[in-house]
Structures are given as structure tokens and as C-alpha cells.
Amino acid sequence: MTTQNNPLLQEFDHAPFSKIENKHFKPAIIKAIEMAREEINAIATNADEATFPYTIETLEFSGEKLDRVTSIFFNLNSAETNEDIQQIAQEVSPLLSEFRNDIILNKALFEKVKSVYNKKDQLDLNTEQKTLLDRKYKAFSRNGANLPIEKQNELRDIDKKLSKSSLDFGQNVLAETNKFELHLTDENDLKGLPESFNEEAAQAAASKEKEGWIFTLEYPSYLPFMKYAENRELRKKMALAFGSKGFHGDELDNQENVLQIAKLRYQRAQLLGYKTHAHFVLEERMAETPEKVNSFLEEILEKAKPAAEREFKELENFAKDLDGIDQLQKWDAAFYSEKLKQKLFNLDDEKLKPYFKLENVIDGVFTVAQKLYGLSFKEVFDVDKYHEDVKTYQVLDENNKEMALFYADFHPRPGKRDGAWMTGYKSQYKKDGEEERPHISIVCNFTKPSKKQPSLLTFNEVTTLFHEFGHALHGMLGDTEYPSLSGANVYWDFVELPSQLLENWCYEEEALQLFAKHYETGEVIPMELIQKIKESANFQEGMATVRQLSFGMLDLSWHGVDPSAITDVKANEDNAFERTKLFPNVAENCMSTAFSHIFQGGYSAGYYSYKWAEVLDADTFEYFQQNGIFSREVANKFKTNILSQGGTDHPMTLYKKFRGKEPKPDALLKRAGLIEK
């Protein structure tokens, strides 16, 4: 295939999805690697003295074509994949891993970077330039550039294996999710399930030319089933299927992948002179060390565990009184929690959903962004999309300057992985007097519209949309010189601040009245429902907190130790969960084998980040509340010091510029009702 015929190798601004065929990807990636190599070699072999502009800035802007092509490819592998794309991913990932290592282990290039780094104090660099230089130097030094050649070769081998194991892990989880279906034909089995939900299940069955109803492990199907289905045996069946993904000892089993990834990461850290993978990762995080993370998790666990145990006892007693349940199991949790919540607050997700039509919630999050940051969103129809479900928007500021192109993809499909995430197709940066604005995307798995009604979101889905949109704002409002420092390119335990912060508006009357309107009557959500949302915000917060902490502890049980002696994935997991366990252990289930955040995503040794960022977001929102939740003054400070700055400075420096002080956990613990206000 010639370069001229490959749309990925042409000049483009918007990703040319409609022109791309699967056959274009591998040749484009190979060619883009070749182009990037030439750019790198030109820097490495230049006879002139290394300088910040030529060496560091040129290195920063090298490989632009490769970045664009791979962002399109790997985003599609997450949001719209198929067997061909998965096979191509297996073929190109080792090539990309090898290329990255070729850069990091390029001795001549490293000497150039080191030369600039060693004279940094004599250079007149601004904060962003200093950060870029520091990042570039560490990209080499933290990845083996100072190692002898035989150790570098060992590192290359480890990185290739890691790349493959991680891909295999993700593909197995997706295959497991798609493989399972609960096919029901007896209407009695639907008892307790909302009519709208059953209608979607009937449509799912009809689409496969089957009678009855089909429920799957995709979140919009799985979560409501676990919350409302009265048939305990069917809840158990669903829970066991969901909790045992990658744990069946068959061709989709992930136990070996988990052990392999953990051990390879440890070996890699040791090669580089670090005690564990967590020590390596946390050196470049706000938390700095595993010891600090452990003490942070312990401090919150100490406050949350008594509350969690009280809440669990209350739930146990409630289930026993209601249905004579002697031993509460994991498949009972969502069902009886929902029943108890309805009893305590008379608040049912099904009562709320009519007020959260997807289109209205989108308008709501846009309005919140407009009131805080002066942004407007105009849907555009002339931008290429990778699937008909995707919506595209032009994002403008108050002066009608284009800030970003925004893609939004809301509904589940067989080719889309679970969960919700924000990503990008093009970075924001400034070069040669020109500014490039970013192309940002959020991908979710929300309830689909049916023949009878539009897509109506659960309250949890509403907060998820606000969460991902918070990440998107971080990308859209980037205002940096360099692409690698823009938007969400920040320390991992800082990245969740903008996303978790925006969730707070979902609980505020002033915000809800903007968009929570009944999809049939247009009636604004009644005050009593808003009050119940606020009252129920802390419902089982102790249990939720302990659950989140347990995931952080599981993460560190794989990455904060020498995992060489671990041979049993389930036994290691049970040990990690021992101190946070509330429900009886389920022998058939294993979380690690489907814990994509840490074995496929970027959260290894970093899952604590969600709780860490909650401390920041509670402290930040307290500041908004003191000044008004739509205070333009506070919003402008947040935009100027945090959202626009990306990773240009240390996060605590940026945070203190915004807030005037360091955060303390008190605001979070008060908000969660775990200490007195």
C-alpha cells in the first residue's frame, strides 16, 4: 500500500474516521515510526552543542504523526474494536514498545539531553520549560538510560512482554464480558425489575432472534439487575459471572497474566534501582512513597471502618427482618441497599430517572461549564465519527474563540470496553506562533434509548457523566506551550481532581434546577427529591469508602511488594482484603483477573489516587460553597491555576496558588459524614 493511499499518513486536523480501514493501521504505524526515528536521529547526530530550543523542544515535538495515528488506533481498540483491530494491536504493540525503548536507550540522544539538564541552572528557563527539561531527563534516567547495555537489553525484553501481557489481559476481560448472557423466558423471573429495563432486555433478545429477555455483564444491564431483581438465585448467577471474569481456568483466564505483569513490573523496578514497582511509580506522584500511601489509606480506614461496620450491621438486620436472610452475600448488597435506601429516604432511582433524560443532562453539564468558565457548545455534523452514536461539538469561549473539538460516545456496544473514560485525539500546544487546540473525547456506557422512551440516566450515571466531563474540561482548557504538559498530563494522583470536583454540582439545587426536568412534562425536579438526593448522598458512605480503600490496598499488594513468591492470585487477593472485608468471601470470584485499571490502564500503584483526589476535591468544593457554587471568581482561579496549567508545575504548587493552603482530609471526612461538621 502506498503512502499516498493511506488516509492516516495524509495531513489532517480531525481524525478521518470514514476513510480509515483496518488495513491502513499497521502500515501507517510502521511508516510513522520510521518518520519519528528520522526526527530523533537528526537530534542525536547533530554536531552542534545541545541547547534547550534545539534538543529539548525539538524532541518534544518529534513523532507528532505517530502520536496522532496511535491515538486514533488505540482509542478505537477501546471504543469500537473487533478481532482485526485486536490482532493488529498484538502486532504493533511490540513495535511501539521497541521504538520507545530505542529512544530511551539512545546513548547519543541521552547525552544531548543530559548535557542541557546539567547546565539548567545557567539557562534562563521559565517554570514550564524547567518542568519539560526535568520530565525529558527523567524519561531517560527512570527508564534505563544510565544502565549498562546488557541491562538495557533486559529492560527491552521486559517491556515487550509487559506490552503483550497487558493487551492479552484487556482482550480477555472484554471477551468474558461479551460471552456471558442471562437468557430468561419466564416472566416470573423478572419480578422487581423496572418495566423500562425489561423492555431493553426484550430488545436485546429480539436483536439475537430469541424469545424472552437477555441480560448481560455490561454495566447498564448488570447494575440494575443486581439492584432490583427479586430472584436471589439469578442475582447470584449474575454476580458470579461478573466477579469471575478471567478466573475460569480456560483460554480467557487472566491469572497467569496477573502474575506475569506483577512480576515483570517488579523486575523492571529492581533493574532501575527501585525497591518495588510502587516505589518507582510514586516517585513521580504527589504521594511520593508507598509508605505515605499506606499511612493515608490507614488514616481514612480508621475513620471509615467503624461507620462501615455499623452500616453493614444495619443492612444485615434489614435483610433478615424483610426476607429472613441469615447470611448476607455479595449478590444481596445492591438489592437490599436499594430497598433500605427507599425505606429511609423514600428515594428510588426509578423515580429519579424521568428527570435525567440524557440530552437534558448533557445540556446541564454544558450550562454548568458555561456559568463557571464561559464556554459554549455547538453540535456540529460535518466532523467524521467512528460510530453513528458519537456526537461532536465545537467548544467556544466567551470571545467565540474555538477552544476544542469534543466527541461524546454514550452507549454500550459489543466492541466497546466497560466503564467510562476521557481521552484525546489531538493535544493542545503552541508552536511557531500558532496555537493548536485539542480534540477531546469522553466514552461512557449509559442506558440506551428504547422504542418507548429516551435514554434516562440513573443518578449514578449522571455523576459519571459529570465526572468524565470534568476530565474533558481539563483537556479543553489547556493553555500550555508543550503537548506533553497540557490538559490531563499531570501527576496521576492529581488527575482526578477536576473530574471528582465536578460531580459535586449534581447534588446542588442551584445546578439541578438547570437541567433535571421531567422528560414528558418538562416539570423541574421537585425540591423534595433534591432534598432526598442530598440526604442520601452519605448513605452507606462508610461501606463505600472501605470498598474504595480495599481496591487501593489490593493494588499495593501486587505492586508495593516483591511478588515473586505469589503463586495463587486468589489467595493474595483474599489476604489483601482481610482487613476491609464485610461480606463473606466468594470462592468462585476474583477481582484481580478483571481489575483493568491496574493491569491494563494506568493505575498500577495508583488506585489510591481516587481517594487522594477526593481530599483535594472536597477542599476545593468547600471553597466554592463559601463563595457560591457558580462563583466566577473561584472558577477563574481554578481555571487559571489548575485547569489551564496542566502539568507545567508541581501539583501542590499549583494547588496552593489556587487555594492558598495545602488540603487536609477534614473536608472529605465531614462531607462523607465520617466526622462531625
Side-chain angles (χ1 to χ4, degrees), residues 4-24:
Q4 288 89 341
N5 295 337
N6 193 322
L8 288 164
L9 294 171
Q10 310 309 311
E11 286 305 309
F12 57 83
D13 186 33
H14 307 144
F17 293 113
S18 65
K19 296 175 184 167
I20 302 169
E21 298 173 39
N22 288 346
K23 66 181 181 183
H24 294 134

Side-chain angles (χ1 to χ4, degrees), residues 377-419:
F377 298 80
K378 178 186 168 195
E379 188 166 7
V380 289
F381 302 93
D382 57 351
V383 172
D384 249 350
K385 305 189 289 197
Y386 57 86
H387 191 276
E388 60 185 9
D389 282 354
V390 178
K391 295 174 181 290
T392 48
Y393 301 87
Q394 182 185 35
V395 186
L396 303 168
D397 71 4
E398 285 170 307
N399 301 314
N400 262 357
K401 176 191 171 187
E402 179 157 347
M403 297 300 291
L405 177 68
F406 177 49
Y407 298 84
D409 180 0
F410 291 117
H411 302 299
R413 305 181 285 275
K416 186 196 277 193
R417 70 174 168 88
D418 270 349

Side-chain angles (χ1 to χ4, degrees), residues 155-221:
L155 196 71
R156 283 174 182 268
D157 187 48
I158 288 173
D159 285 345
K160 268 189 189 171
K161 287 176 181 169
L162 268 173
S163 175
K164 181 168 187 336
S165 294
S166 186
L167 261 180
D168 289 345
F169 181 95
Q171 289 179 5
N172 287 348
V173 173
L174 181 62
E176 286 273 58
T177 303
N178 289 338
K179 187 171 83 168
F180 176 86
E181 62 179 44
L182 179 67
H183 181 208
L184 303 179
T185 52
D186 184 347
E187 201 161 352
N188 290 325
D189 289 336
L190 306 181
K191 205 169 174 199
L193 295 170
E195 188 49 49
S196 59
F197 181 56
N198 293 340
E199 190 192 328
E200 289 162 32
Q203 278 181 219
S207 72
K208 296 188 174 185
E209 299 182 346
K210 292 183 179 178
E211 295 293 316
W213 303 266
I214 284 180
F215 301 92
T216 71
L217 300 182
E218 289 174 346
Y219 283 115
S221 182

Side-chain angles (χ1 to χ4, degrees), residues 173 177 197 200 216-226 238 242 245 412 416-421 444-447 458 460-461 464 547 591 594 596-597 607:
V173 173
T177 303
F197 181 56
E200 289 162 32
T216 71
L217 300 182
E218 289 174 346
Y219 283 115
S221 182
Y222 176 74
L223 295 177
F225 192 92
M226 298 307 294
M238 286 286 272
F242 191 87
K245 286 190 276 191
K416 186 196 277 193
R417 70 174 168 88
D418 270 349
W421 62 94
C444 307
N445 280 281
F446 295 151
T447 310
T458 64
N460 187 50
E461 288 176 327
T464 297
R547 180 173 179 269
M591 182 183 176
S596 299
H597 272 77
Y607 202 85

Side-chain angles (χ1 to χ4, degrees), residues 157-323:
D157 187 48
I158 288 173
D159 285 345
K160 268 189 189 171
K161 287 176 181 169
L162 268 173
S163 175
K164 181 168 187 336
S165 294
S166 186
L167 261 180
D168 289 345
F169 181 95
Q171 289 179 5
N172 287 348
V173 173
L174 181 62
E176 286 273 58
T177 303
N178 289 338
K179 187 171 83 168
F180 176 86
E181 62 179 44
L182 179 67
H183 181 208
L184 303 179
T185 52
D186 184 347
E187 201 161 352
N188 290 325
D189 289 336
L190 306 181
K191 205 169 174 199
L193 295 170
E195 188 49 49
S196 59
F197 181 56
N198 293 340
E199 190 192 328
E200 289 162 32
Q203 278 181 219
S207 72
K208 296 188 174 185
E209 299 182 346
K210 292 183 179 178
E211 295 293 316
W213 303 266
I214 284 180
F215 301 92
T216 71
L217 300 182
E218 289 174 346
Y219 283 115
S221 182
Y222 176 74
L223 295 177
F225 192 92
M226 298 307 294
K227 195 184 277 191
Y228 295 112
E230 291 183 15
N231 187 318
R232 195 182 186 205
E233 278 307 306
L234 291 177
R235 290 202 310 271
K236 179 179 178 180
K237 189 172 183 179
M238 286 286 272
L240 291 181
F242 191 87
S244 62
K245 286 190 276 191
F247 191 57
H248 293 123
D250 57 9
E251 71 282 359
L252 298 178
D253 192 276
N254 264 337
Q255 291 175 84
E256 268 313 307
N257 284 326
V258 166
L259 294 170
Q260 169 101 325
I261 291 167
K263 287 169 186 175
L264 287 170
R265 284 173 174 165
Y266 174 76
Q267 288 166 22
R268 189 179 196 283
Q270 287 269 299
L271 256 183
L272 293 166
Y274 294 87
K275 189 178 173 187
T276 67
H277 178 68
H279 286 84
F280 169 75
V281 167
L282 293 167
E283 185 180 69
E284 291 292 283
R285 300 285 193 266
M286 290 178 81
E288 297 174 335
T289 66
E291 292 74 26
K292 238 189 223 184
V293 172
N294 277 318
S295 83
F296 169 74
L297 295 175
E298 289 294 337
E299 182 185 357
I300 296 183
L301 181 62
E302 187 187 334
K303 302 283 196 312
K305 192 162 183 194
E309 288 171 340
R310 281 195 307 274
E311 292 161 4
F312 184 72
K313 191 71 189 160
E314 180 185 35
L315 190 64
E316 270 190 323
N317 292 337
F318 175 73
K320 189 173 179 66
D321 292 345
L322 192 67
D323 288 331

Side-chain angles (χ1 to χ4, degrees), residues 455-497:
S455 174
L456 301 177
L457 304 189
T458 64
F459 188 69
N460 187 50
E461 288 176 327
V462 174
T463 59
T464 297
L465 197 157
F466 271 69
H467 178 102
E468 298 308 332
F469 193 77
H471 281 309
L473 286 171
H474 206 177
M476 292 172 190
L477 292 171
D479 186 23
T480 66
E481 295 291 321
Y482 307 116
S484 70
L485 300 180
S486 184
N489 289 308
V490 299
Y491 278 8
W492 211 263
D493 46 10
F494 195 57
V495 78
E496 296 296 335
L497 167 59

